[in-house]
Amino acid sequence: MKKQNLLKSLILVMAVLTGTVKAFGFTQAEQTAMLSVQSSVAITKSASSVETGSISPVDGSISNDIQASFILKTNDGTESSYKFLVASKIQTIEGEVSAFSEDGSLVFANLGALPSISAVNDAKAHGNNNPNVIVYPITMNITSPMTIEFGTKSAPENYTISINGASEGTLNQILSRNPVQSTFSTGQDQAGSYQAIVYFTAIAQ
């Protein structure tokens, strides 16, 4: 009899425990993550760019089109964010100088027989006393709304690109096949390789 009553008691306790509703307190937490991306620029040269050619010893003309295409990008397209400077350089006996002439043409210098600075300056003015220096007109085109200008007050020996609110643009450089005639002379310009280097600088404003 005691065993039977004990069993009934256990069954009753189990039933009460099983039917109990459990209550839980509700809580919530949140976290806000913040990341900042700084302004930046990217310059990429097109794989279709052509950078070498042969010069005729007769008239200084180039055998093929020399051209380069560059894609300019920025993640901050506001007009006050960046400007790009297109600069250049050649090597002379006295050191490096700008390779743009007074009208924005491109000056090439003989690598094996370096010219003097005076010869380079004469060529930049399209004179005729400039041994081992040859000048070729160059065309710079950039996609709108970006604009390009040579010889600004703040950068007199460079091309300046204004982005004008754009975040991407393409600059195309095309070198004329024919030199500025007064800067080429079979008697003055020695055989060899002639080079000019064009490079970009992004300036935060």
Side-chain angles (χ1 to χ4, degrees):
M1 187 66 179
K2 288 184 179 180
K3 288 184 180 181
Q4 187 176 4
N5 289 337
L6 180 59
L7 181 59
K8 287 181 180 180
S9 298
L10 287 175
I11 292 174
L12 181 59
V13 170
M14 291 292 291
V16 170
L17 291 176
T18 303
T20 300
V21 177
K22 296 181 180 179
F24 295 92
F26 178 77
T27 184
Q28 178 178 331
E30 69 177 35
Q31 178 183 4
T32 301
M34 297 286 290
L35 300 174
S36 63
V37 179
Q38 294 183 345
S39 298
S40 65
V41 297
I43 302 172
T44 306
K45 184 171 63 177
S46 169
S48 61
S49 298
V50 180
E51 300 174 344
T52 59
S54 297
I55 298 175
S56 167
V58 176
D59 60 7
S61 62
I62 303 174
S63 61
N64 56 277
D65 290 331
I66 304 297
Q67 55 188 4
S69 180
F70 296 87
I71 300 172
L72 314 176
K73 294 182 179 181
T74 174
N75 63 356
D76 183 355
T78 59
E79 293 186 25
S80 60
S81 58
Y82 286 100
K83 280 190 176 181
F84 292 93
L85 291 186
V86 184
S88 61
K89 61 184 177 181
I90 53 175
Q91 190 67 39
T92 73
I93 296 172
E94 294 95 335
E96 287 184 352
V97 295
S98 170
F100 286 132
S101 70
E102 293 177 359
D103 66 349
S105 297
L106 191 58
V107 179
F108 286 75
N110 192 317
L111 291 177
L114 294 178
S116 65
I117 287 182
S118 62
V120 171
N121 289 337
D122 182 84
K124 287 181 177 181
H126 298 180
N128 55 18
N129 185 24
N130 41 62
N132 296 321
V133 184
I134 310 174
V135 180
Y136 292 87
I138 189 171
T139 301
M140 301 268 195
N141 294 318
I142 196 160
T143 52
S144 180
M146 290 187 179
T147 55
I148 186 167
E149 180 182 5
F150 178 75
T152 64
K153 186 176 181 179
S154 60
E157 293 188 316
N158 302 314
Y159 284 87
T160 301
I161 296 174
S162 299
I163 64 175
N164 299 324
S167 58
E168 182 174 339
T170 300
L171 173 67
N172 294 307
Q173 301 176 355
I174 304 172
L175 195 70
S176 171
R177 287 196 180 192
N178 299 310
V180 175
Q181 282 302 319
S182 62
T183 68
F184 175 78
S185 171
T186 301
Q188 289 190 54
D189 299 317
Q190 297 181 36
S193 297
Y194 286 73
Q195 182 185 72
I197 296 174
V198 177
Y199 59 97
F200 291 80
T201 302
I203 298 178
Q205 300 192 87

